[in-house]
Amino acid sequence: MTETLPPVGVDLFEVERLLLAEAAEPPLPSQDAEARDRVWGMAVRANPALFDGPMVACGGLERKGSRVLRLSWVRVTYRHYALRRVPGATALPSLFVNVVQPTDDGRVLAVRMSPSTAAPGRWQLPGGSVEPPQDGATLGELALAGQAARELTEELGICAAADDLKLWVVTRGGNGSVGLTYLAPALPEAALRAGFAAAGAAERVQGREPELDGIALVRSPNELASLAGPHVDYLEPIVRRFSGHR
């Protein structure tokens, strides 16, 4: 039985199973498409690091039973979200994966976005936008966990397999954006800091600025509040839920 989800806010949904289905991108009026492209062009001129790569948006989210969610997904590119700055236009909610990476003493790793990103200085969990499957592959639960594991490797130098990660909660926040949050095995603080330093050094050797420029380990929402700068909307509810379930 399908259940209508509550109005958009910062919502957390416990889930044991995802039902995934691809959907077509809704048609876009020509004037909105032209305005989107103008906004995207201005953004790229302001920040040449922006790249119009393929990504996945959320086409819909509904509850199909106890701890079962149906998620429809749509192939778009990054410029799709320039629609958020076009008056009267509607952008699909974004879809991303992220990871609660605990330490072995019960803290949670938060990361800070670097100045070259679209959200400079923002604190969030490690993760990134969902990418569409290639070469006829399907976007299934294992593939999504694999993308979350890859983000840990690329951003933090943490080698994790998809099987190491457990889908822990689904979030829905600003603009209706949907996040698939995975729980990783706990690691010592020293290993996390060493991995972060190594990942950043590897990026700089390639002549690239790392996507992240700082990390913090927090035990509670009160500690999280002490981090200067903007926080992504799901971060405080996630830290609160983790601290309450230890």
Side-chain angles (χ1 to χ4, degrees):
M1 178 178 180
T2 300
E3 178 184 342
T4 301
L5 295 177
V8 172
V10 183
D11 302 309
L12 274 64
F13 306 106
E14 294 191 4
V15 58
E16 293 180 352
R17 186 183 176 198
L18 281 176
L19 305 176
L20 295 152
E22 185 173 3
E25 183 177 1
L28 189 65
S30 59
Q31 64 270 25
D32 287 351
E34 292 169 1
R36 174 203 62 193
D37 292 344
R38 286 196 300 271
V39 170
W40 174 256
M42 290 187 292
V44 171
R45 287 191 290 274
N47 183 1
L50 294 177
F51 172 63
D52 191 25
M55 62 184 299
V56 166
C58 177
L61 184 69
E62 58 185 0
R63 197 190 303 276
K64 301 296 289 186
S66 178
R67 300 193 178 188
V68 178
L69 291 179
R70 183 183 186 275
L71 173 67
S72 62
W73 58 275
V74 179
R75 297 173 192 260
V76 296
T77 67
Y78 276 88
R79 79 171 57 213
H80 175 84
Y81 290 101
L83 287 170
R84 291 174 175 169
R85 297 173 60 189
V86 175
T90 300
L92 292 169
S94 60
L95 180 64
F96 58 92
V97 292
N98 57 23
V99 181
V100 172
Q101 175 58 70
T103 60
D104 50 11
D105 64 355
R107 291 175 290 170
V108 172
L109 178 71
V111 299
R112 186 176 61 199
M113 301 293 283
S114 69
S116 64
T117 64
R122 187 178 70 187
W123 289 97
Q124 59 186 56
L125 296 178
S129 299
V130 173
E131 297 180 3
Q134 298 179 348
D135 303 324
T138 59
L139 186 64
E141 292 186 77
L142 186 60
L144 289 166
Q147 292 196 31
R150 187 187 66 213
E151 294 289 345
L152 279 181
T153 301
E154 293 177 351
E155 296 181 354
L156 296 165
I158 298 171
C159 294
D163 290 343
D164 294 332
L165 304 182
K166 175 186 177 183
L167 182 59
W168 190 59
V169 74
V170 172
T171 64
R172 189 180 60 178
N175 300 310
S177 299
V178 172
L180 310 178
T181 300
Y182 293 83
L183 181 63
L187 291 172
E189 176 181 350
L192 296 178
R193 295 195 179 280
F196 174 70
E203 286 292 289
R204 294 185 186 94
V205 166
Q206 298 296 321
R208 298 188 293 263
E209 182 178 351
E211 187 175 1
L212 307 176
D213 69 355
I215 62 174
L217 299 169
V218 296
R219 194 179 302 276
S220 68
N222 288 339
E223 292 185 8
L224 182 66
S226 68
L227 300 180
H231 296 190
V232 73
D233 56 5
Y234 65 74
L235 187 55
E236 191 274 343
I238 286 288
V239 171
R240 181 177 301 280
R241 184 178 190 273
F242 182 82
S243 64
H245 280 69
R246 289 202 308 269

